[in-house]
Amino acid sequence: MAAATGLRMGVVGGSIAGCAAAVAGIRAGADVTVYERSAGELRDRGLGIVIPPSLHGRLVATGYLDAAMPTAPVAGRVWLTRAPDGSAREFARQPSPVTPCNWGLLWQALRTASAGARHHRGLPVTAVGRTASGGAFVRTAQGENTYDIVVGADGHGSLTRRVLAPDLRASPAGYAVWRGTLPVDASAEHPGPLQLLRTSWVTIGFPGGHGIFYLIPRGEDAGPDERLLAYAIYATPPAGSPDGAGHVRQLADEHFPREWADIVARGEHTAMTCHPVADLHAPLAADPPFLLAGDAAGVTRPHTASGAVKALQDALCLEEALRTSASPAEALRHYARERTPEGARLVELGRRLGRAQVEQTPDWTAMDQGSVDAWCRATLAGTKSYLYADTD
Ligand SMILES: Cc1cc2nc3c(=O)[nH]c(=O)nc-3n(C[C@H](O)[C@H](O)[C@H](O)COP(=O)(O)OP(=O)(O)OC[C@H]3O[C@@H](n4cnc5c(N)ncnc54)[C@H](O)[C@@H]3O)c2cc1C
């Protein structure tokens, strides 16, 4: 008999990892309850999320994502820097097929696919713990419920993770990422960047950091081909608390090719956030009856573009483990064996990419195709990343 037969599964957190884990549980035959602290519409958190095309295909084929969810796939990556005259100098191109998504649409698709679960919104979990019979309890303002397994999908500050790893703390990278979206008409006066972004995602290198640009579906009630320009700019913030909008505009003005600076510095941002970059990973991704998924299990520096990817892969692994194991405990041990080393690998990869692309940036003005390819290979040091397909 499979582990999920008659299984009661509680999920703490109803974002990307929580909804994906709920789909996994439902598909394997479990009775699933999701607790989400936020009462608002999570789809409003929308920014850009890139995932590998192969994972997108697999999620559509297995029913986690609706094939109608708009995406904005591109096949390659272009590296730019500012030339002395302020124009854009393209210094490398690499094959790098990616499927950019709108975070809000991705969440909405997973939420729809997990409709077979009981979803509580605006109901924070205040405690989780073990029961005498080997299960777990979840406590909220409405009382306590018991489950055979509890999935901690409660993000980077996870309360569930504290049961498994009470002393774990995040390691700060010492720099920040400014992340935002702009309407594509911000680039109407500059057709060059927009044309490039229709086929590629773009990295702009500058001393002490870089910016990543790509198009995502606009979301909300927009047509499937309408786009937003998404960006993530990595740099060390000025001393004191960083002024998001002001500093990112100044960085763009000082360091970006003129056309790109115009878009970022003068565009009306649809959304903008600034986060300090940090990472952590739990020493064990599951210890029955608890399992950690998504950022609760580990946060990597965003250069790997892998947080949501990992949450989705966590769910696929959970489904397989539940289907093929003889007991819930065995399923969770199977999950821990597969997902714990993956979290550690991604944290290491994020650190190497951060060192190379922010902490010790090369002289971008001297880079060319050969040196970029060699530098990427050296940074990856034999590990794989879907963003660097050509270095496999
Ligand atoms: C700049 C940047 C760029 C990124 N780009 C990419 C990318 O291109 N590709 C990619 O794959 N990933 C990317 N990521 C990472 C990705 O955004 C995250 O890893 C992912 O969204 C994490 O999802 P999650 O569901 O694990 O966590 P969260 O989205 O943080 O969700 C946790 C949920 O748990 C709820 N919660 C917390 N505590 C409780 C509680 N006590 N009770 C009930 N509910 C609770 C919260 O309200 C929240 O809804 C990026 C991240 C950053 C910062």
Side-chain angles (χ1 to χ4, degrees), residues 70-90:
T71 60
V74 293
R77 176 181 199 172
V78 169
W79 295 78
L80 304 176
T81 194
R82 176 149 120 171
D85 66 359
S87 64
R89 182 177 82 86
E90 178 182 320

Side-chain angles (χ1 to χ4, degrees), residues 13-20 36 38 40-51 65 69-72 99-111 153 155 179-181 214-220 228 230 271 273 275 294-295 306-309 311-312:
S15 178
I16 299 283
C19 286
E36 169 53 47
S38 166
E41 285 290 341
L42 297 193
R43 67 165 169 258
D44 296 341
R45 292 180 187 176
L47 287 164
I49 286 287
V50 173
I51 67 173
L65 295 182
M69 181 189 84
T71 60
T99 302
C101 306
N102 178 305
W103 194 100
L105 297 181
L106 181 63
W107 174 78
Q108 185 67 60
L110 293 165
R111 175 67 184 79
R179 194 183 185 195
T181 47
Y214 53 100
L215 297 181
I216 60 168
R218 209 183 79 182
E220 293 160 9
L228 278 177
T273 61
H275 320 253
D295 281 8
S306 67
V309 170
L312 296 163

Side-chain angles (χ1 to χ4, degrees), residues 60-219:
V60 168
T62 47
Y64 283 70
L65 295 182
D66 187 336
M69 181 189 84
T71 60
V74 293
R77 176 181 199 172
V78 169
W79 295 78
L80 304 176
T81 194
R82 176 149 120 171
D85 66 359
S87 64
R89 182 177 82 86
E90 178 182 320
F91 57 93
R93 266 178 195 243
Q94 293 173 320
S96 176
V98 295
T99 302
C101 306
N102 178 305
W103 194 100
L105 297 181
L106 181 63
W107 174 78
Q108 185 67 60
L110 293 165
R111 175 67 184 79
T112 303
S114 64
R118 222 168 282 106
H119 281 269
H120 295 287
R121 259 177 32 183
L123 189 59
V125 170
T126 53
V128 297
R130 297 175 196 272
T131 62
S133 58
F137 70 83
V138 168
R139 189 179 303 147
T140 68
Q142 293 179 359
E144 221 166 83
N145 286 299
T146 56
Y147 297 96
D148 301 307
I149 65 172
V150 164
V151 175
D154 41 352
H156 63 95
S158 172
L159 164 144
T160 319
R161 189 180 60 234
R162 270 178 249 152
V163 177
L164 301 192
D167 299 323
L168 194 64
R169 297 283 175 273
S171 305
Y175 56 87
V177 57
W178 287 261
R179 194 183 185 195
T181 47
L182 288 147
V184 282
D185 53 22
S187 48
E189 283 174 37
H190 303 293
L194 195 55
Q195 213 174 338
L196 195 56
L197 288 163
R198 297 253 178 232
T199 55
S200 313
W201 59 285
V202 168
T203 302
I204 298 180
F206 59 86
H210 67 281
I212 301 281
F213 293 84
Y214 53 100
L215 297 181
I216 60 168
R218 209 183 79 182

Side-chain angles (χ1 to χ4, degrees), residues 209-259:
H210 67 281
I212 301 281
F213 293 84
Y214 53 100
L215 297 181
I216 60 168
R218 209 183 79 182
E220 293 160 9
D221 302 324
D225 297 325
E226 291 186 49
R227 300 284 180 255
L228 278 177
L229 172 54
Y231 66 82
I233 298 171
Y234 296 88
T236 305
S241 78
D243 157 17
H247 188 62
V248 91
R249 290 192 159 112
Q250 192 185 328
L251 273 177
D253 256 343
E254 270 176 36
H255 296 299
F256 286 5
R258 204 178 307 106
E259 293 182 311

